[in-house]
Amino acid sequence: MVSADQLEKLQWQYKSLEAATSIAELDVAEANVVAPISGFISARYVKKEI
C-alpha cells in the first residue's frame, strides 16, 4: 500500500526521468558525425600536448 502523496511523488519522478531520457536520446542522435564525402582515412596526424 502506498499513500496518495507518495504515489504522486513517484509519478512526478517517473515523468522527470522520462524527460531526462528523451533529452539524452536526442543528444545522442545529434552527436553523430557524418563525413561530407564517402571514403576512408589513410593517415591521421596527432599532435600530443605535453
Side-chain angles (χ1 to χ4, degrees):
M1 302 291 285
V2 177
S3 70
D5 186 44
Q6 286 179 324
L7 178 62
E8 186 177 346
K9 286 180 183 179
L10 290 172
Q11 287 173 334
W12 282 110
Q13 285 179 346
Y14 179 75
K15 287 180 182 182
S16 174
L17 290 173
E18 276 186 324
T21 301
S22 296
I23 291 171
E25 288 174 348
L26 182 61
D27 287 344
V28 169
E30 291 179 351
N32 292 337
V33 177
V34 180
I37 58 174
S38 62
F40 62 94
I41 299 172
S42 62
R44 290 191 320 176
Y45 301 101
V46 178
K47 182 177 181 181
K48 289 178 123 180
E49 293 187 30
I50 299 175

